[in-house]
Every structure is written in structure tokens, then in C-alpha cells.
Amino acid sequence: MFLSKATTSVLCLASLAGVLALIGSGPIRSDSPKSPAEKVANIRVPEGYTVEVAAGSDLVDYPMFASTDETGRLFVYESIGHVYKKTKDALDNPQFRIKLLTDTDGDGKYDRSTIYADKVGFPQGGVFYKGSLYATSAPDLIKFTDTDNDGVADKREVLLSGWVLNVNANSV
């Protein structure tokens, strides 16, 4: 979320605009707008709020959800674009990832993306706290830290383990 002088802005990714439009304005019809700007324009929010495209599909592939750190960097938890058929496949070959989006020129739009963490199990939540990203990656809770500040987590520490992963996401 970004705050401006006049209004509080709600941030969304262009790839998620269709989902938000569904929530904000009813079912998606075949005559629904196609461009991210048109989709954002159709999202209904309470008075005083605005919706703005903050990152385009050139920065993210299959976003599931996102969280920010205290500086406004955006951690986007990404799917792999297909569903695992077996839980064992998801555990043996984790392919989800977390991207880090940054706004390098301060215009309020993300313009740089790095893969903060790859080979992540099915992510179901995360929060940035005291310099590290804590993320669920069933069967684990993992602490990701970028020690050299290059936008890529170079330290990965399993803090808790033991959740049962089911590929239908009913675990943590």
C-alpha cells in the first residue's frame, strides 16, 4: 500500500488486476476489458482509495500473493504456472520462487525484479522482519536473508519443519 497526500492508494500487480476486477465488479464477462489499465479502471474501491498498476507482467510471471518490507520493496510469491500432480513431486523438486520487486527511480512503480529465492516449496505466507523474509514453504518455515544486499537471498535457514504438504494447499 502506498500513501499519497490526497488519497490512500491500493497497490496491485497488473497480472492480478483481473482477479481484483472479479472481486470489485462482479463476474468477468467475455466483453470484459483486456488491458491492465482497463482492468484497474473497473475495480471498485471505497471512496478515498485509488487502484494503480505498480508492476507489469514483465516483472512477474505467476503471482500468488505479495508482502512488503519497511522500505516498500515487494516480495512476490510466484507459482510455477502448472499444478503438481503428486505431493511427492512438489517435495522432491520444489519449483516455486519469491521475486523481489524494487522501485529504483522513486516514481511509485516497480521497475526491477530479481529472484530473491528459488526452489521454494508451496509458499503460503510470508513476512519481512528485522532484515529477513520469513516464509512458509511446506513442510518448512524458512528464514531467507540477503547478506550482501544484492536482491537475492544467500542464506536459507529452516526454523521449523513438519507440516504435511498436500498439493491442494491444505497444510500450514
Side-chain angles (χ1 to χ4, degrees):
M1 239 188 246
F2 294 102
L3 298 176
S4 66
K5 289 182 182 177
T7 62
T8 302
S9 301
V10 178
L11 136 75
C12 73
L13 300 171
S15 300
L16 293 176
V19 173
L20 293 175
L22 174 66
I23 294 168
S25 63
I28 295 178
R29 304 174 312 272
S30 61
D31 63 340
S32 293
K34 302 295 185 225
S35 76
E38 290 172 315
K39 290 176 183 178
V40 166
N42 282 334
I43 298 172
R44 310 287 187 260
V45 294
E47 187 175 330
Y49 287 85
T50 60
V51 178
E52 302 168 20
V53 175
S57 58
D58 57 326
L59 298 180
V60 294
D61 295 315
Y62 301 102
M64 296 168 37
F65 56 91
S67 59
T68 58
D69 68 6
E70 67 279 351
T71 66
R73 297 183 310 169
L74 187 67
F75 295 86
V76 180
Y77 303 79
E78 284 193 315
S79 176
I80 55 176
H82 68 274
V83 177
Y84 286 108
K85 298 202 186 297
K86 297 177 183 174
T87 300
K88 183 173 178 8
D89 296 338
L91 290 169
D92 291 347
N93 186 22
Q95 296 180 32
F96 290 86
R97 63 186 177 194
I98 302 168
K99 281 194 177 171
L100 174 58
L101 276 56
T102 52
D103 173 10
T104 61
D105 59 9
D107 68 355
K109 296 186 187 216
Y110 295 102
D111 51 33
R112 181 172 179 256
S113 174
T114 59
I115 297 174
Y116 185 76
D118 63 358
K119 298 180 182 170
V120 175
F122 195 97
Q124 295 179 0
V127 64
F128 195 85
Y129 179 70
K130 292 187 176 183
S132 296
L133 182 68
Y134 295 79
T136 60
S137 173
D140 304 322
L141 171 64
I142 302 175
K143 178 182 176 183
F144 294 99
T145 307
D146 174 9
T147 62
D148 58 5
N149 204 28
D150 65 354
V152 177
D154 48 7
K155 187 174 177 188
R156 183 183 298 222
E157 179 183 357
V158 175
L159 301 177
L160 296 170
S161 190
W163 285 285
V164 175
L165 173 66
N166 295 307
V167 292
N168 65 358
N170 292 326
S171 60
V172 180

